[in-house]
Amino acid sequence: MAASMIGSKVERKEDKKFLTGKGRYTADITLANQTFAYFIRSPHARAKIKNIDTSKAKKASGVIDVLTAKELNEDKIGGLIAGWKIVSKDGTDMKIPPHPALASDSVNYVGDHVALVVAETLQQARDAAELVKVDYKVLKAVVNTGDAMNSESIHDGIDKNLSFDWELGDKAKTDEAFSSADKIVKMTLTNNRLVPNAMEPRASIGDFNPSSEELTLYTTSQNPHLSRLVMSAFNAIHPEHKFRIVAPDVGGGFGSKIYPYAEDVVVAWAAKRLQRPVKWVCERTDSFLSDCHGRDHITNCELAIKNDGTVTGLKVDTIANLGGYASLFATVTPTYLYGPLVLGLYNIASAYCNVKAVYTNTAPVDAYRGAGRPEATYMIERLMDKAAKEMGMDRAEFRKKNFIRQFPHQQCLVHNIDSGDYEAHFNKALELSDYSNFEKRKAESAAKGKLRGIGFSTYIEACGIAPSAAVMSLGAGVGLWESAEIRFNATGNISVMTGTHSHGQSHDTTFAQIVADKLGVPMENIDLVHGDTDKGPFGMGTYGSRSLAVGGTAIAKACDKIVEKGKKVAAHMLEANPDEIEFKDGEFIVPNSNKKKTIGEIAFACYLPGTYGEIKSPLPEGVEPGLKETAFYDPVNFSFPAGSHVCEVEVDPTTGETKVDTYTCVDDFGNLINPMIVEGQIHGGLAQGIGQALYENAYYDETGQLVTASYMDYTMPRADNFPEFRIDYTCTPATSNPLGVKGCGEAGAIASPPAVMNAVIDAIGTEVSMPATSEKVWKALKDKSDTKKKAA
Amino acid sequence: MKAFNFHEVKSVKEATKLASNKSTFLAGGMTLIPSMKMRLSSFSDVIDIKEIKELYGIKVKGKSVIIGANTKHADVAASKEVRKAVHSLAGLAEGIGDPQVRNCGTLGGSISNNDPTACYPSACIALDATIHTSSRKVDAENFFTGMFETSLKKGELVTAVEFQIPEKSCYIKFPNPASRYAMVGVYIAKFKKEVRCAVTGAQSVVYRCKEIEKALNNNFSESALDSVSLKSSNLNSDIHASAEYRASLIVSCAQKAVAGSK
Ligand SMILES: Cc1cc2nc3c(=O)[nH]c(=O)nc-3n(C[C@H](O)[C@H](O)[C@H](O)COP(=O)(O)OP(=O)(O)OC[C@H]3O[C@@H](n4cnc5c(N)ncnc54)[C@H](O)[C@@H]3O)c2cc1C
């Protein structure tokens, strides 16, 4: 062990299994005597259920049972919960409609879960599902985010479909800034609704063991411990100590698998009720309909600006669509993950943000890669762009003028930003993107009949979710610390238990690098254990770019405890004082002597404390046998990654086709553990962000049917939609965790939509909304030239 | 998918004999299998025609190219004979779907299915093709009758398509961004006696665009289309493209096709 593992591009430990098709996902698991489940879903966006007749289906060949809300109520299974209480500005609590795991008297979106058919084969379950007669009284659906408050209430007692009307910031101070402003710039923005589209659709298998009374649920979860807690405490599925949740390999989540879904609750319960394993695998169409969606905001925003270009105030007024029900993290996404971030990385003295969250007859909306922060970034970066143009200032200079320059910096809303150097990454991005020669490239495009535009975007994230004290004061149901356990085996290799979950983030590699560095043990002797509530300690799962900053730190701390204990044992064995022992590259050394013990020898001695020559036992008095340490880490603050992105697009004015020609990003993620993995995370994020800007859109028609419910209509970006990304970094280490890391998982998806849109708008010289499809761009250009013609 | 009887046949005769009102032919399965899996269609009998050897192959004969119904898109795309005789036909095949689709999907399956956004029907119309079936020969213009409809009778099998070799030609697809089928596809073929222009993706079925043909018959050049403005009232409109946008795309694709003709 010589070179430091931290900071090197170590090849991914998980590549071998994934690239050779040896990953083991939930759907790959086959249990003896298993049954197959099929969910009957609502074909209507809004309806009352008058009756469900399951009699014919129950008699169909191979059918074991057909379960509905009636049976669910018999067994007193609780409904789904919303986990973060938001208080409206008038002091009232948010309004949450009941969300039964199987619809009892009404359905509220196409895809809403109504009944479960369990049969010997999937074929039989599907055949029988066609025999279930659900008698619906169809009602007029409320679909549109902007119209929801003026429409009939879809839930009893929830007036105007309004869940909460929340505010953040000092309204009076902000009003003052606007009344003394030299210029006010306003705009209205739509943040389009997205389908998460994890590569692996959701799946779960329930398995009840009648002899031990243990219930096991295999499921596609980013967060198995939390799922178990919620399903035990709120859904009353099974007591926590007899309930095991296993999230094996999971093929992507992007937030959509953070919380238990109705299907998990129902499958776990059905397995217990029927005393047979029940397997359910979501089909792609159902995944479009029933995975929680992302984004879906309408925002009015305005900036107060002084003549010299100083921004003095920001007002944001957002309507956020929650969908048919409030999903587990749905209420925090458009509030605390959004509001505090609206300032971007600008030093703005006053701000006020108002968010109204509404129910509509669409799939629930919850956290999706970036969760709230992409929406905030899109708003401020589009607005800054527009403001620069209206002020007649260079868009780059206008941004620089307003950057935060002193750290730590207490923002006027919530966050206290510990570290950063915004001008450093912005300047580096300008250089790497060759901004100074943009006009030349624009002329070259023009010569080919193409329109070229350049767009900037800067962003700040609050990651490392989350300091418990801070988030609980903001209404979180629980604190969001993380845990780790380092378990040495007697032969010197290590199992590392983490409460986070890897579903594409490469924890097996990154976390092993930390342990390898800390303990001087080769990578191949370190195994990461996660995703099984029976194996590792309780943890809070993976989302919000938290795993490394919080979970990685817990691991580092557990390593420190191992070294501490090792020193005591080594000192005893080497007949030295523990204080003088040095630990380096896996060896405990008595300085200025040839006396040393490897960490492997120490581990062996800790487990098999025999006689070592003169020494009767290697364990000093009061030191317990074994070498295993646990650490919990609750961060002192969020971490604040930030960065600058520059995008250049080329538009074909005859067809409106937009090509992303170059894309440059310079990010400050603090210290990097594995730059190759970080690069992969950036690529994925950019693909999703550019996808949102140009291609993706979950579109419901006026009756609430999801028109884009397959890849024939929902445009997933593909590799040929992207250029080679130019990637570079700056580094100001985080001060809130000892690794100095900030988090990189969401940055690409946060920064890129405004970078792309600012470039498109720069190219065509007129506004267009996301996604800027070829038709919309063509239409915007046509309208612009029609208006010009009219004026002439 | 619902249960069905599966038959593998070795000859056209065997296939047509087994066919009934409740049966279907299976070629590449690229369209049929997803639709059965989603339970949008179901059959009592599925007759797999992939093993019928006589339906494979590419022949250039005099002024025509004859391609067997079972010939895969990838084989047409890779065929030197096709590329030499009708460059654009190989290009069209190369632009269908992805490698998996091109290595399973067939010419016969594509035209029998007659998806309004499929590429091959436009080639049949523009290249004045004759469709050979198990019982007759039909002009392409009488073959494609409506959305997912052809003049094939129940149990009738497409055996080959005979395309006429033009002086020059080109197919330009403006792909639907999601499916990458044709949002609009324009096939232009210049023969000695006429220019033919077939458009797919824009109406319920492939059609000849007379306005474009007229302009190009007078003057086979891009600029001849500058003044062509198509009416949009009879064109498809959906979430990806309005009729008005399609009208504009047809002209711009046609111009690119003229420019790219060889
Ligand atoms: C992801 C994807 C992308 C695609 N992109 C495109 C595209 O860009 N452009 C495009 O044109 N197409 C595209 N396709 C369709 C593709 O070309 C299919 O191959 C074609 O539609 C069907 O051919 P097949 O051989 O798979 O037929 P099958 O799916 O086997 O059959 C289709 C239908 O034709 C019938 N049939 C098949 N062969 C015969 C025959 N010889 N005689 C009579 N009836 C027959 C079958 O009974 C069935 O009803 C795409 C398909 C997919 C899955």
Side-chain angles (χ1 to χ4, degrees):
Chain A
M1 278 302 306
S4 169
M5 282 285 137
I6 290 182
S8 56
K9 297 185 175 184
V10 179
E11 272 186 28
R12 300 203 321 154
K13 284 169 79 112
E14 43 277 84
D15 276 344
K16 188 175 164 202
K17 79 170 170 181
F18 289 137
L19 296 180
T20 57
K22 302 231 164 46
R24 189 171 158 85
Y25 299 88
T26 300
D28 295 325
I29 296 169
T30 296
L31 301 178
N33 207 25
Q34 78 185 5
T35 64
F36 293 85
Y38 182 75
F39 277 90
I40 293 173
R41 296 178 185 279
S42 172
H44 307 295
R46 182 173 172 225
K48 291 277 169 228
I49 298 177
K50 294 201 285 188
N51 185 43
I52 304 177
D53 180 359
T54 59
S55 54
K56 251 194 177 156
K58 277 186 177 162
K59 284 187 219 126
S61 142
V63 171
I64 295 152
D65 209 345
V66 182
L67 301 172
T68 64
K70 185 171 151 278
E71 290 77 21
L72 206 63
N73 293 335
E74 273 169 22
D75 290 350
K76 300 197 166 53
I77 300 300
L80 306 179
I81 60 159
W84 196 305
K85 191 171 85 178
I86 301 298
V87 178
S88 286
K89 61 185 183 196
D90 65 3
T92 57
D93 284 353
M94 64 180 183
K95 301 197 174 52
I96 299 295
H99 189 183
L102 289 172
S104 48
D105 54 3
S106 66
V107 285
N108 280 295
Y109 62 95
V110 172
D112 205 349
H113 21 88
V114 174
L116 182 78
V117 183
V118 183
E120 297 292 344
T121 69
L122 181 58
Q123 176 82 16
Q124 288 168 331
R126 291 204 60 169
D127 285 345
E130 291 178 5
L131 302 173
V132 174
K133 288 239 148 22
V134 187
D135 194 0
Y136 293 103
K137 178 173 184 261
V138 179
L139 302 170
K140 189 171 177 332
V142 176
V143 179
N144 200 299
T145 311
D147 297 341
M149 284 189 286
N150 308 319
S151 307
E152 199 188 343
S153 295
I154 63 170
H155 294 293
D156 289 343
I158 301 186
D159 199 28
K160 293 180 169 173
N161 294 309
L162 186 64
S163 178
F164 56 79
D165 181 356
W166 172 87
E167 66 178 357
L168 184 71
D170 187 335
K171 187 160 190 296
K173 194 174 168 206
T174 311
D175 283 341
E176 220 175 274
F178 276 81
S179 52
S180 61
D182 295 323
K183 182 153 183 77
I184 294 174
V185 176
K186 301 182 184 194
M187 73 193 305
T188 301
L189 295 163
T190 302
N191 207 290
N192 43 326
R193 181 185 273 246
L194 305 173
V195 178
N197 277 308
M199 204 185 286
E200 181 203 19
R202 290 186 290 122
S204 29
I205 308 174
D207 182 24
F208 184 66
N209 180 335
S211 100
S212 65
E213 299 197 325
E214 280 169 332
L215 178 64
T216 304
L217 184 71
Y218 302 89
T219 184
T220 47
S221 174
Q222 299 176 225
N223 200 350
H225 290 280
L226 191 87
S227 284
R228 181 176 70 161
L229 172 67
V230 169
M231 287 168 73
S232 288
F234 297 96
N235 307 117
I237 295 290
H238 208 60
E240 211 178 346
H241 67 303
K242 292 276 192 189
F243 193 8
R244 174 183 178 203
I245 294 192
V246 183
D249 287 330
V250 174
F254 313 118
S256 72
K257 295 172 180 167
I258 307 181
Y259 31 80
Y261 278 81
E263 290 86 347
D264 297 309
V265 171
V266 172
V267 165
W269 159 69
K272 191 173 160 187
R273 183 177 166 105
L274 304 175
Q275 308 247 320
R276 296 223 2 222
V278 174
K279 178 170 184 172
W280 167 76
V281 179
C282 194
E283 291 177 9
R284 186 56 73 180
T285 307
D286 287 349
S287 161
F288 272 99
L289 295 174
S290 68
D291 289 1
C292 286
H293 294 174
R295 321 279 191 252
D296 203 341
H297 285 193
I298 295 176
T299 296
N300 286 305
C301 48
E302 44 190 311
L303 279 183
I305 311 166
K306 289 285 183 194
N307 275 336
D308 70 348
T310 308
V311 177
T312 54
L314 168 67
K315 274 191 209 168
V316 182
D317 193 349
T318 294
I319 304 174
N321 193 344
L322 296 175
Y325 306 92
S327 169
L328 196 76
F329 293 121
T331 57
V332 67
T333 302
T335 50
Y336 289 104
L337 294 180
Y338 171 71
L341 277 304
V342 296
L343 296 162
L345 27 71
Y346 305 110
N347 186 0
I348 304 176
S350 70
Y352 176 73
C353 176
N354 178 213
V355 179
K356 299 179 184 75
V358 296
Y359 294 106
T360 60
N361 296 114
T362 59
V365 178
D366 205 314
Y368 170 67
R369 202 168 193 166
R373 289 150 293 178
E375 295 90 319
T377 304
Y378 186 64
M379 184 281 304
I380 187 69
E381 285 303 304
R382 288 290 314 279
L383 190 55
M384 288 295 283
D385 229 56
K386 186 165 187 229
K389 281 187 187 158
E390 290 192 13
M391 296 290 293
M393 288 179 72
D394 176 79
R395 290 175 293 156
E397 291 308 319
F398 180 62
R399 283 180 167 83
K400 279 197 221 175
K401 179 161 183 62
N402 286 288
F403 280 157
I404 297 164
R405 281 164 204 282
Q406 296 279 319
F407 297 90
H409 171 86
Q410 176 61 54
Q411 289 189 307
C412 71
L413 290 172
V414 173
H415 289 306
N416 190 313
I417 301 166
D418 60 337
S419 67
D421 183 348
Y422 301 154
E423 206 166 329
H425 50 72
F426 195 71
N427 284 339
K428 202 165 176 180
L430 292 182
E431 196 180 306
L432 197 60
S433 64
D434 191 24
Y435 179 45
S436 53
N437 286 312
F438 170 70
E439 289 303 327
K440 206 172 122 210
R441 292 190 294 278
K442 188 174 168 147
E444 282 164 14
S445 295
K448 294 185 292 178
K450 300 275 170 67
L451 307 171
R452 180 176 280 267
I454 190 165
F456 306 104
S457 158
T458 63
Y459 74 96
I460 183 168
E461 267 200 88
C463 293
I465 296 174
S468 298
V471 294
M472 287 174 73
S473 74
L474 299 177
V478 291
L480 294 164
W481 45 265
E482 199 43 77
S483 65
E485 184 181 308
I486 304 283
R487 196 185 291 171
F488 259 95
N489 297 307
T491 50
N493 46 31
I494 306 176
S495 301
V496 180
M497 322 286 175
T498 173
T500 65
H501 185 273
S502 185
H503 39 277
Q505 294 85 348
S506 325
H507 292 174
D508 293 35
T509 308
T510 305
F511 289 179
Q513 283 177 256
I514 296 173
V515 176
D517 242 30
K518 283 268 179 191
L519 300 180
V521 172
M523 288 282 288
E524 59 271 24
N525 289 352
I526 303 165
D527 212 27
L528 188 74
V529 180
H530 63 90
D532 186 337
T533 56
D534 263 14
K535 288 189 182 161
F538 191 95
M540 291 292 177
T542 288
Y543 43 86
S545 301
R546 70 185 300 275
S547 296
L548 180 60
V550 192
T553 300
I555 288 174
K557 284 188 165 297
C559 288
D560 290 342
K561 290 188 186 176
I562 292 274
V563 171
E564 219 172 287
K565 177 167 179 177
K567 279 185 179 171
K568 286 185 197 153
V569 177
H572 190 66
M573 291 175 79
L574 299 169
E575 295 176 285
N577 190 329
D579 294 342
E580 44 171 340
I581 300 283
E582 276 177 14
F583 180 69
K584 201 167 160 257
D585 295 342
E587 289 176 335
F588 294 92
I589 303 163
V590 181
N592 309 319
S593 79
N594 59 359
K595 292 206 285 186
K596 58 183 179 186
K597 288 279 173 201
T598 67
I599 195 163
E601 288 174 296
I602 297 297
F604 191 83
C606 283
Y607 282 101
L608 304 161
T611 305
Y612 288 78
E614 295 289 290
I615 303 157
K616 287 285 168 288
S617 163
L619 296 176
E621 223 175 281
V623 173
E624 293 170 6
L627 192 56
K628 172 184 131 173
E629 294 290 349
T630 302
F632 285 74
Y633 180 62
D634 193 345
V636 294
N637 191 1
F638 295 90
S639 60
F640 298 98
S644 300
H645 291 206
V646 183
C647 176
E648 267 183 53
V649 299
E650 204 175 53
V651 174
D652 179 342
T654 60
T655 60
E657 271 172 297
T658 299
K659 186 179 123 206
V660 176
D661 192 48
T662 64
Y663 198 97
T664 307
C665 37
V666 179
D667 295 293
D668 178 356
F669 298 137
N671 293 329
L672 307 183
I673 306 290
N674 185 326
M676 182 188 69
I677 287 171
V678 169
E679 202 170 304
Q681 292 289 315
I682 297 172
H683 280 218
L686 291 179
Q688 280 167 298
I690 295 171
Q692 168 165 31
L694 297 181
Y695 309 108
E696 298 185 48
N697 194 31
Y699 174 76
Y700 284 94
D701 70 12
E702 67 279 9
T703 67
Q705 292 294 328
L706 183 63
V707 179
T708 52
S710 82
Y711 295 122
M712 296 302 279
D713 285 306
Y714 187 91
T715 309
M716 282 297 278
R718 304 183 198 185
D720 63 0
N721 294 125
F722 306 114
E724 285 280 326
F725 300 126
R726 299 174 187 166
I727 294 175
D728 209 338
Y729 311 95
T730 56
C731 177
T732 58
T735 62
S736 54
N737 66 70
L739 294 171
V741 298
K742 293 186 173 179
C744 68
E746 298 155 303
I750 292 172
S752 54
V756 175
M757 291 304 290
N758 285 337
V760 173
I761 291 160
D762 182 48
I764 66 176
T766 180
E767 286 291 318
V768 62
S769 67
M770 293 197 290
T773 61
S774 53
E775 173 173 30
K776 275 204 218 158
V777 170
W778 172 82
K779 183 91 181 13
L781 282 167
K782 186 167 174 295
D783 290 349
K784 187 178 142 194
S785 88
D786 288 355
T787 334
K788 241 196 208 151
K789 271 183 218 149
K790 242 183 240 156
Chain B
M1 202 179 276
K2 295 193 179 178
F4 54 83
N5 299 311
F6 184 73
H7 311 270
E8 204 176 67
V9 296
K10 295 249 158 24
S11 70
V12 172
K13 218 166 156 191
E14 215 184 322
T16 50
K17 216 170 129 195
L18 269 171
S20 75
N21 275 338
K22 289 188 197 146
S23 74
T24 187
F25 297 125
L26 169 70
M30 292 293 94
T31 299
L32 183 66
I33 290 177
S35 113
M36 290 174 72
K37 277 169 83 173
M38 287 193 278
R39 296 193 165 209
L40 296 173
S41 62
S42 63
F43 306 93
S44 65
D45 295 85
V46 172
I47 304 162
D48 183 356
I49 59 171
K50 278 197 298 293
E51 293 301 311
I52 306 180
K53 297 279 179 305
E54 60 198 280
L55 297 187
Y56 284 94
I58 294 167
K59 268 192 304 249
V60 177
K61 222 171 82 186
K63 291 205 161 106
S64 60
V65 183
I66 305 172
I67 303 180
N70 270 356
T71 310
K72 291 171 185 152
H73 308 330
D75 295 332
V76 174
S79 163
K80 286 201 183 86
E81 295 96 311
V82 176
R83 213 162 269 276
K84 190 158 164 253
V86 195
H87 193 273
S88 57
L89 194 55
L92 175 147
E94 198 172 28
I96 293 177
D98 48 47
Q100 288 90 329
V101 169
R102 290 195 291 277
N103 280 291
C104 290
T106 67
L107 170 60
S110 176
I111 66 164
S112 306
N113 188 54
N114 192 20
D115 188 311
T117 64
C119 301
Y120 264 129
S122 69
C124 296
I125 298 292
L127 299 174
D128 199 10
T130 308
I131 317 294
H132 298 202
T133 80
S134 48
S135 56
R136 59 192 169 127
K137 289 183 181 179
V138 203
D139 274 353
E141 288 192 67
N142 296 323
F143 183 81
F144 302 105
T145 52
M147 188 155 141
F148 294 105
E149 274 172 17
T150 65
S151 65
L152 283 173
K153 300 193 184 69
K154 200 68 220 179
E156 187 177 358
L157 198 66
V158 172
T159 54
V161 180
E162 183 175 353
F163 299 96
Q164 299 307 310
I165 300 174
E167 285 177 355
K168 50 182 173 174
S169 63
C170 184
Y171 174 67
I172 296 289
K173 167 162 83 168
F174 191 93
N176 173 310
S179 71
R180 300 207 175 173
Y181 277 67
M183 195 143 89
V184 159
V186 177
Y187 207 125
I188 287 183
K190 184 178 184 310
F191 290 92
K192 211 178 203 117
K193 63 176 201 308
E194 63 171 348
V195 175
R196 295 171 70 94
C197 170
V199 178
T200 186
Q203 290 187 2
S204 58
V205 66
V206 62
Y207 66 97
R208 284 177 70 175
C209 182
K210 299 291 176 189
E211 293 91 333
I212 291 176
E213 290 186 353
K214 197 172 149 211
L216 294 178
N217 272 321
N218 286 337
N219 173 12
F220 193 80
S221 75
E222 273 179 86
S223 58
L225 299 176
D226 283 345
S227 56
V228 173
S229 158
L230 300 173
K231 73 174 198 297
S232 59
S233 56
N234 57 351
L235 300 182
N236 293 344
S237 186
D238 55 38
I239 57 164
H240 299 288
S242 62
E244 200 192 6
Y245 182 45
R246 279 198 166 85
S248 156
L249 283 180
I250 293 169
V251 177
S252 67
C253 287
Q255 286 183 314
K256 283 178 187 144
V258 170
S261 281
K262 53 177 170 180

